[in-house]
Amino acid sequence: MSSRERILGRVRRALADAPGEDVPVERGYLREHGDRSVEETVELLAENLADYRAIVHRCTAAGLPATLAGMLAARGAKTVLVPPGLEPAWLADAGTEQVPDRAGSTPHELDRVDSVVTACAVAVAETGTLVLDGGPDQGRRRITLVPDHHICVVRVPDQVVSSVPQALERLDPVRPLTWISGPSATSDIELDRVEGVHGPRTLEVVLVGSQPSEDVNS
Amino acid sequence: MSGTFVGMPAFPEAAHEAVHNQTLRGNLRHATHTIRAKRAKAVSEVSDWAELREAGKRIKDHTLRRLDHYLVQLEESVVAAGGTVHWAADADEANEIVTRLVKMTGESEVVKVKSMATQEIGLNEALEAEGIRAYETDLAELIVQLGKDRPSHILVPAIHRNRGEIRDIFEREMSEWGRPAPEGLTDTPAELAEAARLHLREKFLRAKVGISGANFMVADTGTLVVVESEGNGRMCLTLPETLISVVGIEKIVPTWQDLEVFLQTLPRSSTAERMNPYTSTWTGTTDEDGPQNFHLVLLDNGRSDTLADEVGRQALRCIRCSACLNVCPVYERAGGHAYGSVYPGPIGAILSPQLRGTASEIDASLPYASSLCGACYEVCPVAIDIPEVLVHLRERVVEGGPVVREGNKVVLKPAKGHAAERAAMRAARWAFTHPGVLRTGQRAASRTRRLHPRTLPGPGRAWSDTRNLPPVPAEPFRDWWQRTNGGKEGGK
Ligand code: SF4
């Protein structure tokens, strides 16, 4: 008998005491917590991102190239990884050398790049989470992992949802997903939180809105 | 399960030793109290905690009730997504499968994401015996591995070590395993984390094989989920060419939507965060992104036996958040090592004796490693009634009875060496079923509290030798209730 048959047989015998009995799943929990306007949801995202030590910037679509160029320059980045589908205009003003995301590049090559700029699939306000799904403007999972500095651009309010249930609804489970809430961190030493163990030690988020009133670079 | 830690004494002796280790107790108290307070705050942020907890419990119970169905469905979806599924009835079989898969790649080293399942089966040792070196990459696991130590907590396995001890371990051992610790390493957490980053990065960048567990497996999509903080998980899950995940058969949830419950309750219960820094999900393989070979090893190793126990099977709902450890007064004093298993604390006290059976002395003693205060049940995000299972297992140890071992029904004999406990249990049951006696006993106890001995006389001595008798309250609850009209008139 194969182990598959053995295990399935054991499981079936173990459940024989109450055949057909089912436990219905009730979903009495909330789809989102609290009542917020769209602006308030974006505000909550910014707050929660910052609370987990991501650096949050805001600008308009028109101001994005200048904002990104400024951020890369401030960091002193000489090279920046770029996913294949990233809007070319975003990095038009940046003087940084662009390195395309290639399947063939080795981890060591990625390790030598200073920064990476990506878009995201969805952002969750209540938890301060960015979700990347490997789409063309986000690239392979490893490009947001190996370099030490990740800049993630979120289109607000379109890409922002309130809650985890709302985020899952929007995502395709077939794609490999990476949920990011603040930079890499550990609390393994006396429960003192330290940022940056293996992933990027600096996470910067740019919330790009359409209204000029949001142009409050922080 | 692969058995107890070698030469492990029964819980009372191991705990007795730990209780007298001042450093250990200090490290533990600090850690558990910090995390306990933070967790309460994180939970209070979500107004529907009770509903999330109920839904989590029901999703897991529903899944366990039809586990055979969901296992088959999961297998189909993983295969459809490009993965390969292996079934392992016990630890030896799982270790053989993983060893064979690693050897097929021609590699002799692997990087590992922290995983309870691989610790449970003793995978690192099994690989070592075949000439394969397994590198633990979680910071705490690294501390444990370098220190030739054992994990003592589910979430923070090196919780028993303070920063000074960690610095010494790094300085002494890192060079044995790869890149040495930087010169003049101090004991600040930031410097220690940096040393680990440098030490492990060279391993991540060259690794061809990654080994992980999973927090969840989604039956209808074939998706696996790993929840973590440091990014070592992402490294192991995406950089290697081959990924092998060893996962207990109870880790299934039926649908993608079910994750919405656990992705809210798990981070808050474990690290007391709204969300952990990184969560990775993958469904089979993806062209040109991440490992191109994915193997899932489904592990039974005592789980189907546990499923056969109507009371005990609820332990399989556990999502390994470790909240029950952090509130347990016994864990806080005894430390994780005293439980003689990779699963310490209240959940370990009910899980280990079920996965391994109660034949060994340590496993027979584990159901007694509790004061039955109920705090573990209160915090558990999937509402496992740990005290209920403890009492059930105590009865089994003491009285014997029918159980399932390796798929076969067997009748357990009452445990030897537990005659005193048997007497205690009989006495307790008798008292509980005779309320008048209980009442009188309590009154007498509180009136004479100053005269109480630290050990029981006569046949009770063996039992109380390894236990501190709980202090008796000044006034029985019943009297207090009557005197104050249920607290309405202001208690004492
Ligand atoms: S028993 Fe409950 S509280 Fe304890 S680790 Fe498991 S899920 Fe968490």
Side-chain angles (χ1 to χ4, degrees):
Chain A
M1 193 173 24
S2 73
S3 291
R4 181 181 187 278
E5 297 318 312
R6 186 174 306 137
I7 294 170
L8 285 172
R10 285 180 188 177
V11 167
R12 287 183 186 125
R13 283 199 303 282
L15 295 172
D17 61 336
E21 178 197 302
D22 190 15
V23 184
V25 176
E26 279 166 31
R27 298 183 192 272
Y29 51 89
L30 302 170
R31 301 308 296 170
E32 65 180 294
H33 297 89
D35 226 0
R36 281 180 301 267
S37 67
V38 173
E39 291 75 37
E40 284 167 341
T41 302
V42 173
E43 188 50 45
L44 181 64
L45 172 68
E47 264 172 40
N48 282 340
L49 281 165
D51 194 30
Y52 279 7
R53 321 249 171 106
I55 303 164
V56 182
H57 307 261
R58 290 183 167 198
C59 67
T60 60
L64 182 59
T67 303
L68 288 176
M71 289 164 68
L72 288 166
R75 171 90 182 179
K78 294 195 182 61
T79 48
V80 56
L81 260 167
V82 185
L86 197 80
E87 190 68 58
W90 287 7
L91 288 173
D93 292 359
T96 316
E97 185 199 333
Q98 300 189 15
V99 180
D101 165 25
R102 270 195 313 264
S105 53
T106 65
H108 284 99
E109 283 164 357
L110 297 177
D111 195 31
R112 284 194 286 273
V113 181
D114 297 320
S115 302
V116 55
V117 175
T118 70
C120 77
V122 70
V124 190
E126 286 180 7
T127 56
T129 305
L130 312 167
V131 189
L132 273 56
D133 71 357
D137 55 3
Q138 298 150 55
R140 273 165 273 265
R141 282 171 281 177
R142 55 194 205 154
I143 67 168
T144 55
L145 171 64
V146 183
D148 205 15
H149 177 219
H150 177 199
I151 299 175
C152 184
V153 178
V154 185
R155 296 181 176 92
V156 301
D158 303 359
Q159 290 188 312
V160 185
V161 297
S162 275
S163 65
V164 171
Q166 291 172 350
L168 283 161
E169 260 164 29
R170 280 222 206 171
L171 294 162
D172 179 358
V174 170
R175 288 171 170 275
L177 304 179
T178 304
W179 299 52
I180 300 174
S181 310
S184 153
T186 182
S187 300
D188 281 347
I189 303 161
E190 297 183 19
L191 296 179
D192 266 2
R193 191 175 161 107
V194 181
E195 265 85 39
V197 197
H198 306 299
R201 279 177 284 197
T202 310
L203 173 66
E204 297 198 72
V205 184
V206 188
L207 305 179
V208 190
S210 44
Q211 287 123 25
S213 64
E214 281 188 55
D215 198 347
V216 280
N217 245 312
S218 55
Chain B
M1 242 165 138
S2 68
T4 56
F5 289 146
V6 183
M8 196 67 207
F11 184 84
E13 287 100 85
H16 191 73
E17 237 170 70
V19 165
H20 290 100
N21 180 335
Q22 291 297 326
T23 315
L24 174 77
R25 285 195 61 175
N27 295 350
L28 265 182
R29 195 179 323 107
H30 167 71
T32 54
H33 283 239
T34 310
I35 206 160
R36 209 189 289 181
K38 275 179 65 189
R39 182 198 159 273
K41 185 168 166 286
V43 165
S44 70
E45 270 186 25
V46 279
S47 50
D48 56 343
W49 186 257
E51 289 79 12
L52 284 166
R53 185 178 186 241
E54 180 66 18
K57 171 187 175 196
R58 281 172 175 251
I59 290 169
K60 284 286 189 171
D61 275 348
H62 168 88
T63 316
L64 291 171
R65 268 267 146 245
R66 301 165 164 217
L67 192 57
D68 52 335
H69 164 77
Y70 286 119
L71 279 166
V72 171
Q73 189 188 17
L74 174 78
E75 177 183 46
E76 281 168 10
S77 349
V78 170
V79 170
T84 310
V85 176
H86 309 260
W87 300 70
D90 56 27
D92 287 345
E93 193 175 8
N95 288 332
E96 273 162 35
I97 293 168
V98 178
T99 308
R100 178 166 49 78
L101 292 171
V102 176
K103 283 189 170 169
M104 271 164 51
T105 67
E107 294 294 314
S108 58
E109 57 178 41
V110 300
V111 286
K112 282 189 69 206
V113 195
K114 173 173 176 293
S115 130
M116 304 299 300
T118 60
Q119 282 174 21
E120 175 189 320
I121 61 175
L123 178 64
N124 291 8
E125 295 74 16
L127 289 172
E128 189 82 56
E130 295 290 322
I132 299 163
R133 213 161 205 207
Y135 296 115
E136 291 293 348
T137 63
D138 171 80
L139 177 52
E141 288 290 349
L142 176 73
I143 296 165
V144 168
Q145 189 175 47
L146 292 178
K148 302 178 186 72
D149 198 356
R150 290 192 315 255
S152 69
H153 189 279
I154 294 177
L155 181 78
V156 256
I159 200 169
H160 56 289
R161 297 288 199 184
N162 62 31
R163 59 186 74 194
E165 296 174 281
I166 295 168
R167 194 205 75 94
D168 294 347
I169 292 170
F170 278 12
E171 191 157 68
R172 204 174 55 233
E173 303 292 338
M174 268 186 172
S175 58
E176 294 286 308
W177 291 79
R179 183 174 173 142
E183 290 282 313
L185 180 68
T186 74
D187 66 359
T188 62
E191 265 192 53
L192 294 171
E194 174 70 13
R197 178 184 177 96
L198 295 170
H199 178 80
L200 286 171
R201 189 152 271 235
E202 58 165 26
K203 299 194 168 72
F204 287 133
L205 298 187
R206 68 163 189 250
K208 296 281 187 289
V209 183
I211 295 180
S212 82
N215 294 87
F216 307 101
M217 306 186 282
V218 184
D220 71 345
T221 61
T223 308
L224 270 78
V225 183
V226 162
V227 170
E228 50 130 2
S229 292
E230 296 173 8
N232 65 308
R234 293 182 63 196
M235 290 275 179
C236 297
L237 299 171
T238 55
L239 294 185
E241 289 160 9
T242 299
L243 172 62
I244 305 165
S245 301
V246 182
V247 191
I249 53 173
E250 83 284 18
K251 294 257 168 154
I252 298 184
V253 298
T255 68
W256 179 248
Q257 191 195 353
D258 294 325
L259 292 176
E260 69 191 18
V261 174
F262 303 106
L263 288 182
Q264 293 190 76
T265 52
L266 176 57
R268 286 190 164 85
S269 296
S270 60
T271 50
E273 293 170 306
R274 283 179 208 113
M275 188 61 93
N276 47 287
Y278 294 131
T279 297
S280 299
T281 78
W282 71 100
T283 306
T285 54
T286 306
D287 282 347
E288 301 197 325
D289 185 355
Q292 296 301 295
N293 308 301
F294 169 57
H295 296 275
L296 171 60
V297 182
L298 292 172
L299 178 71
D300 181 340
N301 205 33
R303 285 160 178 76
S304 55
D305 291 343
T306 307
L307 189 64
D309 188 308
E310 281 176 60
V311 178
R313 66 165 64 123
Q314 57 183 305
L316 298 175
R317 293 204 296 258
C318 177
I319 56 172
R320 315 274 189 264
C321 72
S322 74
C324 58
L325 276 61
N326 299 326
V327 296
C328 178
V330 176
Y331 174 86
E332 184 189 321
R333 288 167 181 81
H337 291 151
Y339 295 79
S341 144
V342 298
Y343 303 107
I347 182 60
I350 61 168
L351 197 56
S352 308
Q354 295 200 85
L355 293 178
R356 306 191 291 213
T358 49
S360 78
E361 211 194 329
I362 176 92
D363 286 318
S365 72
L366 281 176
Y368 295 89
S370 167
S371 64
L372 298 181
C373 74
C376 48
Y377 171 57
E378 289 294 313
V379 295
C380 178
V382 285
I384 299 172
D385 193 339
I386 296 176
E388 181 190 17
V389 183
L390 283 167
V391 171
H392 170 72
L393 293 175
R394 284 182 190 188
E395 198 165 295
R396 174 190 293 174
V397 168
V398 171
E399 314 256 294
V403 291
V404 177
R405 294 307 307 156
E406 295 179 11
N408 301 312
K409 286 207 172 107
V410 290
V411 177
L412 268 190
K413 287 200 197 77
K416 284 201 196 83
H418 280 271
E421 255 124 354
R422 208 145 51 234
M425 288 296 284
R426 266 201 303 271
R429 199 163 41 241
W430 181 74
F432 282 120
T433 50
H434 296 77
V437 176
L438 181 64
R439 197 158 51 233
T440 322
Q442 281 176 342
R443 291 242 176 76
S446 58
R447 259 182 246 123
T448 57
R449 61 200 295 268
R450 243 180 270 127
L451 307 172
H452 279 202
R454 302 299 294 163
T455 52
L456 293 172
R461 179 179 296 277
W463 188 80
S464 59
D465 266 356
T466 46
R467 290 161 183 82
N468 286 330
L469 288 177
V472 179
E475 185 182 35
F477 176 76
R478 236 180 273 262
D479 288 1
W480 171 83
W481 184 267
Q482 274 183 354
R483 179 168 62 77
T484 63
N485 188 16
K488 289 198 192 87
E489 288 157 28
K492 45 175 182 160

